[in-house]
């Protein structure tokens, strides 16, 4: 539609104020590049992997990191996605005053069941926002895509981890996680 | 840039609630179209002059026969609330203080387009869907007034362009004629 250019792009401030005002409270939405998107409803296969990953990361990292599940992660300048999992630098107040900024986000994990195209499109948002590492758990492909090496709007290092292999994130290179443990 | 997912659409209720907050800076001109928020184009002087003329013209010619609303919100269900440059509304003792107008109260919508012609053309579908009986688009650059009547679905069945040297009247007030030359200046 020729109106595209004039569609209002929300700033992060406007977004936070809208949420504070109680709007969108019951909606499953996220802010991407200044626009509000409906997140696809999550079916059991997707949710089970999120829960499995949560358990794995919490038990593996303990006090060394905070595991945020389907919570907001600001990706400046004007996005606030809600990735399935975000591994955050530990902070005593658990980010009570404000959501974590990119330097405090070790890793984002998106689980893709029907949403692979959407999760791929979100990579640009994460890269622009300065998120250093993203994993996409591709349920249909039965594998994990690993994105590192931030270069502006994209990641320069993309690799695939398959069943039988292990992987670690940049922030904790010594902590190996089995792909089988993630995929279940 | 667009993502492969549906964008969220606000309801009219949510839009009204938003208007009561401080979320948007007060100097922002925004309107709701099909549940999405649009930045309205800044108003250039030829645009402003045309609006000023139309405001005086309709107010003096119609007196109490209608209310002349200038850049006010006009509810266009199901989920639009545009702010046309000029709207002629059915006369009401409270001047729409208690509640916004509904489509059946709207006798004429006038949009003045200098840089925003594409945008104003795109808005027509929301006016048509809401059943607004008549819309004029004053195309300042091409020096003509487009007249749209008989809304049906997303479109208007009757479309006519009036040029300099010609006159026109609206359906609601066929006795009140204005010259295109006067509108364009």
């Amino acid at each position: 539609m020729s109106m595209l250019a004039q569609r209002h792009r929300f700033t992060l401030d406007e977004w936070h104020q809208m949420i504070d005002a109680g709007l969108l409270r019951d909606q499953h939405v996220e802010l991407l590049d200044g626009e509000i998107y409906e997140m696809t409803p999550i079916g059991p296969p997707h949710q089970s992997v999120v829960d499995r990953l949560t358990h794995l990361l919490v038990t593996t990292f303990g006090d060394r990191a905070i595991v945020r599940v389907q919570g907001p992660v600001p990706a400046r300048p004007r996005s606030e996605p809600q990735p399935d999992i975000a591994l955050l630098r530990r902070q005593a107040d658990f980010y009570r005053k404000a959501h974590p900024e990119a330097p405090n986000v070790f890793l984002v994990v998106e689980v893709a069941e029907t949403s692979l195209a959407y999760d791929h499109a979100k990579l640009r948002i994460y890269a622009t926002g300065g998120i250093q590492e993203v994993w996409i758990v591709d349920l249909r492909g039965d594998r994990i895509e690993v994105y590192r090496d931030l270069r502006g709007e994209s990641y320069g290092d993309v690799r695939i981890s398959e069943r039988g292999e292990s992987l670690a994130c940049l922030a904790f290179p010594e902590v190996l996680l089995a792909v089988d443990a993630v995929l279940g | 840039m667009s993502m492969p997912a549906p964008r969220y659409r606000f309801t009219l209720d949510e839009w009204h609630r938003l208007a009561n907050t401080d979320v948007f800076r007060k100097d922002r001109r925004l309107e709701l179209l099909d549940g999405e928020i649009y930045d309205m184009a800044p108003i250039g002087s030829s645009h402003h002059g045309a609006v000023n003329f139309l405001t005086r013209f309709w107010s003096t010619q119609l007196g109490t026969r209608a209310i002349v609303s200038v850049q006010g919100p006009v509810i266009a269900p199901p989920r639009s609330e545009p702010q046309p440059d000029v709207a002629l509304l059915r006369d009401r003792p409270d001047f729409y203080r208690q509640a916004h107008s509904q489509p059946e109260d709207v006798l004429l919508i006038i949009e003045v387009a200098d840089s925003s012609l594409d945008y104003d053309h795109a808005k027509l579908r929301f006016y048509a869907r809401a059943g607004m009986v008549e819309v004029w688009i004053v195309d300042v650059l091409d020096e003509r007034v487009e007249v749209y009547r008989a809304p049906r679905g997303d479109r208007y069945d009757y479309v006519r362009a009036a040029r300099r040297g010609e006159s026109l009247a609206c359906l609601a007030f066929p006795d009140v004629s204005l010259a295109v030359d006067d509108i364009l200046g």
Side-chain angles (χ1 to χ4, degrees), chain A:
Chain A
M1 230 212 300
S2 53
M3 320 187 68
L4 173 63
Q6 284 180 237
R7 207 155 56 224
H8 181 71
R9 301 302 199 269
F10 292 89
T11 63
L12 272 171
D13 277 347
E14 286 170 345
W15 178 246
H16 292 149
Q17 285 184 64
M18 245 193 316
I19 291 174
D20 284 345
L23 278 125
L24 305 173
R25 191 153 279 171
D26 300 318
Q27 306 299 334
H28 197 46
V29 291
E30 57 188 350
L31 183 75
L32 301 176
D33 208 12
E35 307 202 80
I36 306 174
Y37 287 90
E38 293 194 9
M39 298 164 70
T40 42
I42 297 181
H46 183 144
Q47 190 63 48
S48 71
V49 173
V50 172
D51 292 351
R52 183 191 299 279
L53 249 178
T54 302
H55 175 80
L56 178 65
L57 295 175
V58 167
T59 52
T60 302
F61 288 101
D63 287 337
R64 284 178 290 176
I66 290 172
V67 179
R68 174 166 287 202
V69 183
Q70 289 159 344
V73 173
R76 296 196 177 271
R78 53 188 190 188
S79 301
E80 195 162 281
Q82 295 192 190
D84 288 305
I85 301 273
L87 195 66
L88 312 174
R89 190 184 306 279
R90 63 180 169 175
Q91 191 162 291
D93 72 345
F94 282 75
Y95 301 96
R96 185 193 173 90
K97 298 203 184 68
H99 294 315
E101 296 290 335
N104 287 329
V105 181
F106 294 136
L107 172 68
V108 155
V109 184
E110 293 280 19
V111 177
E113 183 196 357
T114 57
S115 62
L116 193 58
Y118 183 69
D119 290 320
H120 280 152
K122 277 169 85 171
L123 283 167
R124 178 178 60 81
I125 303 286
Y126 287 126
T128 308
I131 303 296
Q132 68 173 24
E133 185 166 0
V134 179
W135 295 357
I136 296 181
V137 180
D138 176 1
L139 294 186
R140 292 208 177 147
D142 207 34
R143 60 192 216 165
I144 303 177
E145 297 171 357
V146 178
Y147 296 86
R148 298 171 176 149
D149 188 22
L150 257 181
R151 292 186 188 180
E153 294 194 347
S154 62
Y155 293 92
D157 179 341
V158 183
R159 49 185 83 186
I160 309 291
S161 286
E162 311 268 11
R163 282 188 182 277
E165 296 174 3
S166 291
L167 75 166
C169 66
L170 291 169
F172 298 97
E174 74 288 0
V175 179
L176 292 173
L177 303 165
V179 173
D180 286 307
V182 175
L183 293 173

Side-chain angles (χ1 to χ4, degrees), chain B residues 70-109:
Chain B
V70 181
Q71 283 156 356
V74 167
I75 293 195
R79 54 189 187 192
S80 298
E81 193 166 297
Q83 294 188 196
D85 289 304
V86 179
L88 296 185
L89 308 177
R90 211 177 288 284
D91 190 38
R92 212 166 79 174
D94 76 332
F95 286 78
Y96 298 90
R97 267 193 196 94
Q98 324 280 14
H100 286 305
S101 60
Q102 292 300 321
E104 56 268 21
D105 299 315
V106 181
L107 304 171
L108 174 66
I109 298 248

Side-chain angles (χ1 to χ4, degrees), chain B residues 47 50 54 84-86 108-125 127 134-149 156 158-163 168 180 183-184:
Chain B
H47 184 143
L54 287 163
D85 289 304
V86 179
L108 174 66
I109 298 248
I110 307 179
E111 296 279 19
V112 178
D114 48 10
S115 59
S116 60
L117 190 60
D118 284 346
Y119 180 76
D120 290 320
H121 278 152
K123 277 169 84 169
L124 279 169
R125 81 200 65 184
Y127 288 132
E134 186 165 0
V135 181
W136 293 2
I137 296 182
V138 178
D139 178 354
V140 168
L141 292 178
D142 296 320
E143 301 208 310
R144 56 191 225 162
V145 178
E146 297 169 357
V147 177
Y148 297 87
R149 297 174 176 154
Y156 283 91
Y158 171 102
V159 183
R160 174 203 160 202
R163 297 169 198 286
L168 67 165
V180 174
I183 301 175
L184 295 172

